[in-house]
Amino acid sequence: QVQLVESGGGLVQPGGSLRLSCAASGSIFSIDAMAWYRQAPGKEREVVAAITSGGSTNYADSVKGRFTISREHAKNTMYMQMNSLKPEDTAVYYCNAEGRTGWAAPMDYYWGQGTQVTVSS
């Protein structure tokens, strides 16, 4: 199994910044794409940003220019720098990864438990 652990959430004022981290551990053979999702109260989970194993990135329109996703392959860790935060960014942020536990194992999808981000004055 692969475990994903997020960290870095918290309470920040509008206009502030936070950096989220997602560390993968366990029986990792390879990790392909990784992504950050978020879910606000009463809303569906939505993708925020994604990064391929080659480093290509994509962002939701609502965070373009404010959030930056990155990853360190050697540490099996993904990050998201969030700047100019707005109250509407308030949500639980989840890490997602697709990976294999062995060379012949099927690709599977893994989720972290989430970290709360609250943007409020």
Side-chain angles (χ1 to χ4, degrees), residues 6-41:
E6 302 100 333
S7 61
L11 172 64
V12 64
Q13 293 186 342
S17 298
L18 284 174
R19 188 190 194 210
L20 303 183
S21 298
C22 170
S25 62
S27 302
I28 300 170
F29 175 76
S30 66
I31 294 179
D32 196 354
M34 300 183 77
W36 288 100
Y37 284 72
R38 67 185 181 187
Q39 187 167 19

Side-chain angles (χ1 to χ4, degrees), residues 11-96:
L11 172 64
V12 64
Q13 293 186 342
S17 298
L18 284 174
R19 188 190 194 210
L20 303 183
S21 298
C22 170
S25 62
S27 302
I28 300 170
F29 175 76
S30 66
I31 294 179
D32 196 354
M34 300 183 77
W36 288 100
Y37 284 72
R38 67 185 181 187
Q39 187 167 19
K43 294 188 177 182
E44 293 188 353
R45 191 173 296 189
E46 62 176 358
V47 62
V48 177
I51 184 167
T52 68
S53 58
S56 297
T57 59
N58 284 285
Y59 297 92
D61 288 343
S62 59
V63 306
K64 279 181 182 177
R66 299 189 298 123
F67 292 9
T68 303
I69 190 172
S70 61
R71 64 191 288 182
E72 283 189 75
H73 288 280
K75 295 183 178 180
N76 285 324
T77 302
M78 174 179 65
Y79 307 96
M80 186 160 70
Q81 178 67 41
M82 305 187 297
N83 298 329
S84 303
L85 282 161
K86 305 175 181 179
E88 50 263 45
D89 294 317
T90 295
V92 177
Y93 284 71
Y94 296 91
C95 171
N96 171 269

